[in-house]
Structures are given as structure tokens and as C-alpha cells.
Amino acid sequence: MLLGNGNPLDSTTLADGRHQAVWENPHPTPCYLFALVAGALDSVSRDIVTGDGHAVRLAVWAAPDDVPRCGFALDATERALRWDEQRFGRYYDLSQFNIVAAQDFTMGAMENKGLNIFNARFILADQDTATDADYLGIESVIGHEYFHNWSGNRVTLRDWFQLSLKEGLTVFRDQEFTSDMHSRAVKRIEDVRLLRARQFAEDAGALAHPVRPPEYREINNFYTLTVYEKGAEIVRMLHTLLGEATFRAGMDRYFADNDGRAATVEDFLHAHEAASGRDLSQFARWYSQAGTPRLHVHRHWEGGCFRLRIEQTAPTIAGHSGPQPLQMPLRYVLYDASGAALDVAPDGGDGSGLVVLDRASHELVFNGLDAAPLPAFNQGFSAPVKLHCDYTPAELATLARIERDPFNRWDALQQLAKAVLLRQFPDPHDAGAALSDAIGALLDDDAADPAFVAECLALPDFDTLADAVDIIDVDALLAAREDMLDLLAEDHVERLQRRYEALASVAAGGIDGAAIAARALRNTCLSWISRLDPTAALASEQFAAATNMTDRLGALRVLVRFDAPGKAEALAQFQQRYRDDALVTDKWLTLVASRPQPEAIDEVRALLDSSWWIPTNPNRVRAVLGSFARLNPVAFHRADGAGYALLVEQLPRLDAVNPQVAARLIGAFESHARLLGSRAALARSALVRLRAGVHSRDAQDLLKRLLA
Ligand code: ASP
Ligand code: ZN
């Protein structure tokens, strides 16, 4: 097969037996979107007609053995195409749309014109080999790359400084696609969880940069959470400020005015200014100011008057100019004592529940109330900020129960758990009890979406906690988290068992929302139950009986995580069963490399000496070393520095093979300067040693910034 950009014109076999294919691309296309694929590939395909009447053949290509696992990707492609027609009025513009799955691929996927190239992990799926998360990931990445056809390809970038113009916008579009296809609340929770755990850390660490960086030495180092995820948050704020209809008009204008051109962030904002009649010059600061803004809310109740003073500050980032107030939409609701939302407007404002902040300090004044209400903020995470209000544990527990916005119910619980873990309440016992009661109520709520309950039970992770403190005391944070999980599991073991059993029959279903949600909660319950008694047989039984990868891997994760009896046997069985499947092999390697024990280092060393280790395969490197450095703070941050040493030892060889993959791993050191005690010095000296061993521009750029 020979595939290229554009429309196929001709394909022949030449006299000498070679193949010739002629493709013509009618659209102006920048060179980074050129692609050519040649190989012994097979495909699944489907002929469709676009909403504006053009015939298109959709095809997903892979090595012949992999083709039976391409059907879901093909379905997802058609869903993405239809969604972009309906939600954004964007139609496909060639006679073919080809997607190719590659087993060795550095990124997730790439939007080459009419010929998207994919990491096979975002294409191949069946229930025996892919988890529910894999399925959702496939749909979302298929959507992302497809949506680039307009946001990136038809309208492309003037220069790489504008990278977020296509990436932030396209992430926003793929987030909306997933939200429209599945649970909007669960999608928002997952995206904000990632933003808080990883983007906030990036924005506070040595690699902090604005969404539009003012300079770069190696642009590959700017395919970051800030450019992608914070960039998407900026587009989302614009959507919130303008409303769906005006935003859509602005998007139509942007596409119409810039079609076939190389655009800038200014072009994007101008189109929205023209459509809305708004001045977005202050809003534009979001693109040039690094660091996560903070909002401090102060409440005053006196004589029937309720005042909210909202103060906006931003951190000063070394090497960047001083922060200025940003414009942002903040949603809020006031609740009365019965838990009902009050229909009130602040003095001089409207009752929309949306305030646009643009100054260092903003006051909302409400008159005529009988009693002090309970305010709630940032529904749906309308602004990507760290918001602080001096809530009591009881107030947060109340919000976790009464908030109309499910995202905020989840967030109230996260805030409560975080403050308990960081011992921020005067009465820790009382606060812990409030948290436990809230968890109990959620587990009793059979009407709530089980996927939502599972999200609520996933308490703030290490990265999120580390982001909330100035100095990272690794041992204290990890211990607090483990202790709290033990306590909560003990408090609710019967509830967990009941839900685990009651959800069994729904969880046995296929790839549908109800079954996926049931499996999510069941596997969370399994993990909590097993932490109380790792010798119990529940995980082994689930492993043996599993009919899908989500349950099989969920059980294996628990067995590995708690070093349970049956672990070695299950691992061996899993290894054997999937030994010829690289993507599934990556899954057990990830579990071993992220086992939260200091000795995991020895197991990682053993893997690096085994035939499982393939340093030229990006997925394999991420499964072993990426999981170790990013998902295993216990081992990576081992007090003797052995975790840092292990990573730094491997990097020179990886940097010689694939600088982009190596650079991602170096990024695991982004917060090294905030580590408590000797860890900071150990991490720094590991980086200093590394300087002599890595020669790529990618690695040298990162080291320069990390050691500045
Ligand atoms: N542009 C790709 C994406 O975000 C990433 C890459 O450059 O490969 O979809
Ligand atoms: Zn992209």
C-alpha cells in the first residue's frame, strides 16, 4: 500500500514489480503535515456521504494481524466526522480519510492531511485486550486528530509560537466531543484532575512557560500540558464568556477569514471580537502570562448584607514579567440553609450566577437575605485557578451533597480530602469524620452514576498534594494518603462489598456507558477492600473470572499493588497469555514499574536487563521508565536517591535513540527544587551528572532550564 496526502488519482504496478501511486492534495498544506506511508497494510473501511453531499471513504490501516481490532476506531472516526458537522458546521474536504496504526510512534498521533498517523495504542481495541479507558482514549484521540483538519490544517499556524492556536483549540474540541458522547461531568472531572495534578505543577516548576511561549530553543519541548490543556481552558473560558451561540459565530468567522492561511492567536481573538463586539485585549493576557492564578474569597455577613470579596493574585515566575490581573468568568451559587439555590442578584449585577473578574479585587454584595448563605464557586471549573475560601469541613461536606453541579460536588470532596490530608483544619478528627460521612453517603446513593462515585472515591493523588504545598515532604504526603485510605476503607467495608456485588451483573456488559461505569466503581471497591486484607481471595477470583481487560487488569493491579498471594501466578499467566501483544505487555510492565514500594527499583532494574526492554520502542520506554518516574513517587523519590540515579543512568542511551522520548522523562524532575531535605540535592546532582551524558538539543534545553 502506498498512501499520501490528498485524493488518490492513480495506482499501478510498474513493469519491474514496484508499485506506483499518485496523490493530489488540492488544499494549501504546510510541510509539517506532509506524510507518506508505504507498507504491507490492510484496512477496514466504510463509504459515507458528508452532510454537504460529498462521498468519502473512511479507512483505518494496520498490519494485517491487527486489522480485526480496528473496527472501534473506524466507528469513532465516523462519530467524530458527524459531530464536527453538527456542532461546528465543519465538513470533510477530501475523497478519502485514512488513518494508519504504527507500533513505533513517539507521540499519541499526528494530524497529517487526509492521512493521520497513529500510535497503535490509540487504534487497536477489543474487549480481550483493551480497557474501558483505552476505548475512551481511542475515541478522544481519533476525534482530536480528525478535528485538526479544520483547526490546524485548513487554518494553520504562522509559526510555532502559535502552537496552542491549534492544540489548545483542538483539545477543547475533543473535550466537547467526549462530553457530548458520554458523561459531561465525568469528562470534566477527569480533565481537571489532570490539569491540577500535572499542568499546575508544570506552571509552578522550573519549566513554567506561558501558553504562547515568547522564545524556545527546541519546540518539541513545548508539546506540553500548558500549551495543550491550559490552552484548552482558555478557549473554554472564551466559550463561557460568549455563550455557545456567539462562540460558534466567532468560530465560523475564524474559519472563514483564515481558511487556507497561516494564522496567529490574534487572528483567533479578532474573529471572536468581531462576532461578539467584545474587547478581548485583557483576556489575551492568558496567552502570555505563566503561572496559575489564585482567587481568595472573603465572606462577610452583617445586618442582612452578604459580601463576597474576591482577590486575584498570581505567582511571580522567575524570568517572566510581573503578573497582571486576568479577565476570567467565575460561576457561583448561593445556597440557603435548606440546601436550595437562592435566586438573587448582587448589587449592580444580574442573576446569571456568572461574574467576570478583571481586577485585583472584586466585590459582590447581596442584600435582603434572611440568613448568611453558603456560597459555592467555580462550577464546572469555569476558570482554571486555585480558589480558596475559608470553608469549614461541615460546609464542604454540605456542598458535596447539595451542589447542583456534579463537578462541584466532586470538587467539594476533593477540597475536603486535601485539607484533611494536609492537616489544614483546627479539628482534624472532626474533619476526617465529615469526609468519611460524605463518602458513606455517596456509596449508599444507588441513584448516582457509578462512574461519578468512582471519581469521588479517587482522592487527590501525590502530584495534586505536592502542588498544594511550598516544600514537598514526600514521606509525609505519601503516608498521610495511605493512612487516610486505610481508615476510609475500614469505615465503609460493608458498603464497598455491597456495591461490588450489586454491580456485578451490569459490569458484565460490553462497551456501553452503564457497564463501563459499573466496572469503574467495582474496581475502585475491589482496591479499597483489598487494602484491608490483601490475603483475601476477591482479587484472584476476579482475575480468574474476568471476561474483559478492564476487570482482568483491575484485579492484577490490586494483586501487584498489595503484593497479595497469587500475585506471581497471575502475573506469569498474564505475561504468557499476551506475550506476543506489545500493547498489553506494556500494561503489566506499567503495573510492576509503578508498584508503590521502595523495592520496585530492583524490579525495574530486572526489567531493564530482560528481553522485555526495548529502548527503541517509545511505548515500551514509557511503560517501564515513564511509569516509574511519573506514577511511582515512592520508588522514584526514594530517600537514598536510587530512583533518580536509575533514571539518569538510562537517559544517555535513550537520548541518542529518541531525544523527544528522553526529554519527557527528564521532565519528571520539574519540581526538584521544591523537594524537602536531601532529596533536592540528590535530584540536582543527578541532573548535573546527566549534563555530560546527553547531547540532543531537547535534553540540553531542559537541563539548562531545570538547573537555572
Ligand atoms: N500534533 C499532534 C497532536 O497533538 C502531536 C504531534 O505533533 O505528533 O495531535
Ligand atoms: Zn493536536
Side-chain angles (χ1 to χ4, degrees):
M1 266 322 296
L2 294 170
L3 303 171
N5 305 115
N7 297 314
L9 292 190
D10 181 40
S11 157
T12 45
T13 301
L14 301 174
D16 61 1
R18 288 184 300 156
H19 303 289
Q20 168 178 294
V22 181
W23 291 72
E24 185 189 57
N25 180 5
H27 300 286
T29 299
C31 57
Y32 76 90
L33 295 173
F34 288 20
L36 193 155
V37 171
L41 302 173
D42 241 324
S43 69
V44 285
S45 66
R46 180 174 304 163
D47 293 326
I48 60 133
V49 176
T50 61
D52 63 347
H54 293 98
V56 179
R57 170 160 296 181
L58 309 176
V60 180
W61 299 84
D65 285 352
D66 289 334
V67 169
R69 289 193 284 162
C70 292
F72 180 81
L74 183 65
D75 290 343
T77 306
E78 187 175 357
R79 283 198 291 280
L81 180 143
R82 295 298 178 209
W83 181 87
D84 212 15
E85 291 183 344
Q86 276 147 27
R87 184 81 193 265
F88 281 90
R90 296 294 115 202
Y91 296 94
Y92 189 62
D93 54 5
L94 293 167
S95 65
Q96 287 197 5
F97 180 65
N98 290 305
I99 294 179
V100 181
Q103 291 284 355
D104 293 271
F105 199 73
T106 295
M107 307 289 268
M110 180 63 208
E111 70 268 20
N112 306 83
K113 182 72 187 184
L115 179 54
N116 288 186
I117 316 286
F118 269 64
N119 189 323
R121 67 178 287 233
F122 290 115
I123 294 288
L124 305 181
D126 62 23
Q127 273 211 285
D128 187 52
T129 56
T131 62
D132 297 338
D134 291 332
Y135 275 94
L136 292 169
I138 289 168
E139 186 184 64
S140 139
V141 178
I142 294 252
H144 180 95
E145 307 309 334
Y146 177 79
F147 303 143
H148 268 315
N149 192 51
W150 274 95
S151 49
N153 301 3
R154 287 286 288 257
V155 178
T156 192
L157 309 178
R158 189 189 66 184
D159 50 68
W160 291 121
F161 295 108
Q162 321 299 324
L163 186 56
S164 193
L165 176 62
K166 76 177 175 83
E167 295 305 347
L169 175 55
T170 305
V171 170
F172 170 77
R173 277 153 53 70
D174 83 53
Q175 291 174 346
E176 284 299 293
F177 172 54
T178 301
S179 305
D180 285 347
M181 296 291 128
H182 307 281
S183 160
R184 180 165 287 271
V186 168
K187 175 63 178 160
R188 193 68 186 131
I189 288 168
E190 284 170 356
D191 288 339
V192 173
R193 192 195 293 287
L194 175 72
L195 194 78
R196 280 186 177 149
R198 300 283 310 280
Q199 195 278 324
F200 282 12
E202 185 169 274
D203 234 350
L207 303 178
H209 54 275
V211 168
R212 178 159 61 177
E215 58 175 2
Y216 63 81
R217 276 183 289 263
E218 173 50 69
I219 193 62
N220 280 323
N221 285 341
F222 286 86
Y223 285 74
T224 58
L225 285 124
T226 298
V227 167
Y228 277 65
E229 316 302 324
K230 188 175 179 180
E233 293 300 318
I234 298 178
V235 178
R236 183 169 298 282
M237 283 190 284
L238 192 60
H239 179 268
T240 305
L241 285 168
L242 304 187
E244 169 71 17
T246 307
F247 177 80
R248 169 66 197 273
M251 289 305 302
D252 288 351
R253 178 125 191 179
Y254 170 65
F255 289 130
D257 289 355
N258 296 285
D259 190 8
R261 292 187 53 235
T264 62
V265 165
E266 282 71 21
D267 293 324
F268 178 71
L269 293 175
H270 285 155
H272 284 286
E273 286 186 325
S276 65
R278 274 179 111 104
D279 174 3
L280 295 172
S281 49
Q282 185 185 1
F283 183 77
R285 283 181 196 156
W286 276 101
Y287 285 98
S288 55
Q289 193 162 301
T292 309
R294 292 166 195 272
L295 297 181
H296 278 266
V297 181
H298 307 269
R299 320 177 252 182
H300 299 280
W301 168 251
E302 210 182 316
C305 176
F306 185 62
R307 283 171 194 276
L308 290 171
R309 189 158 45 84
I310 306 168
E311 275 164 12
Q312 179 185 154
T313 58
T316 302
I317 308 283
H320 295 268
S321 54
Q324 292 178 291
L326 298 169
Q327 187 182 56
M328 64 183 82
L330 182 70
R331 292 194 192 283
Y332 65 90
V333 180
L334 304 186
Y335 289 99
D336 72 12
S338 75
L342 292 168
D343 186 14
V344 287
D347 289 0
D350 60 25
S352 65
L354 182 74
V355 56
V356 179
L357 306 178
D358 53 12
R359 298 186 300 275
S361 179
H362 199 107
E363 198 166 53
L364 295 173
V365 181
F366 301 88
N367 280 298
L369 300 177
D370 303 332
L374 175 60
F377 302 96
N378 218 9
Q379 284 76 12
F381 212 58
S382 60
V385 298
K386 297 181 185 180
L387 187 142
H388 177 81
C389 178
D390 60 344
Y391 289 122
T392 64
E395 286 176 328
L396 286 170
T398 301
L399 289 176
R401 194 161 40 78
I402 65 168
E403 251 283 33
R404 294 179 302 185
D405 176 52
F407 170 84
N408 254 24
R409 290 181 58 202
W410 169 81
D411 196 35
L413 249 148
Q414 293 287 304
Q415 287 184 52
L416 178 55
K418 193 167 79 178
V420 170
L421 285 165
L422 300 175
R423 306 191 204 301
Q424 288 169 338
F425 291 120
D427 181 348
H429 185 263
D430 194 45
L435 175 66
S436 184
D437 290 349
I439 300 265
L442 265 163
L443 284 167
D444 286 340
D445 184 356
D446 290 355
D449 174 5
F452 171 77
V453 178
E455 292 292 350
C456 290
L457 265 56
L459 298 175
D461 64 7
F462 172 78
D463 291 322
T464 304
L465 296 175
D467 180 59
V469 295
D470 292 332
I471 299 295
I472 304 170
D473 183 345
V474 175
D475 301 317
L477 294 181
L478 290 168
R481 199 169 179 279
E482 289 306 304
D483 290 350
M484 183 159 91
L485 284 167
D486 284 346
L487 280 176
L488 290 171
E490 243 167 69
D491 283 356
H492 301 298
V493 63
E494 275 141 35
R495 291 185 167 93
L496 294 160
Q497 275 158 349
R498 182 182 74 80
R499 294 308 298 266
Y500 183 81
E501 278 152 32
L503 289 165
S505 61
V506 182
I511 297 297
D512 59 89
I516 292 173
R519 285 192 288 270
L521 182 51
R522 279 189 100 229
N523 279 299
T524 304
C525 291
L526 174 69
S527 169
W528 283 39
I529 295 167
S530 304
R531 87 171 21 251
L532 291 178
D533 179 10
T535 65
L538 202 54
S540 297
E541 284 165 15
Q542 177 173 316
F543 182 79
T547 57
N548 58 71
M549 182 52 84
T550 303
D551 287 341
R552 192 172 298 122
L553 195 70
L556 188 63
R557 175 176 297 113
V558 165
L559 293 170
V560 171
R561 163 85 177 71
F562 300 110
D563 231 337
K567 162 186 152 182
E569 227 183 333
L571 255 181
Q573 209 188 323
F574 192 93
Q575 270 171 27
Q576 190 55 35
R577 177 168 177 173
Y578 296 108
R579 59 179 311 114
D580 297 325
D581 187 320
L583 296 176
V584 183
T585 296
D586 289 340
K587 294 184 191 304
W588 72 258
L589 291 168
T590 295
L591 295 187
V592 171
S594 54
R595 187 167 75 90
Q597 291 296 328
E599 310 80 62
I601 289 185
D602 307 328
E603 285 154 42
V604 171
R605 283 200 181 278
L607 289 176
L608 292 170
D609 279 335
S610 75
S611 60
W612 300 113
W613 177 236
I614 309 172
T616 51
N617 179 259
N619 287 349
R620 189 57 51 91
V621 174
R622 279 187 286 263
V624 178
L625 290 177
S627 308
F628 172 72
R630 289 288 193 182
L631 305 177
N632 195 347
V634 175
F636 180 59
H637 291 296
R638 213 165 87 165
D640 60 1
Y644 309 143
L646 182 146
L647 188 62
V648 158
E649 249 170 67
Q650 295 296 323
L651 280 166
R653 182 165 169 215
L654 294 173
D655 186 58
V657 173
N658 188 332
Q660 292 183 42
V661 170
R664 292 283 162 142
L665 294 172
I666 297 173
F669 286 99
E670 69 192 345
S671 303
H672 73 94
R674 290 195 296 125
L675 292 165
L676 174 69
S678 56
R679 283 184 173 97
L682 288 166
R684 192 176 176 89
S685 69
L687 289 172
V688 170
R689 277 202 310 283
L690 184 60
R691 231 173 1 196
V694 289
H695 306 293
S696 71
R697 191 163 55 182
D698 309 56
Q700 287 297 335
D701 166 42
L702 287 184
L703 288 173
K704 204 177 246 167
R705 288 191 275 150
L706 285 168
L707 292 168

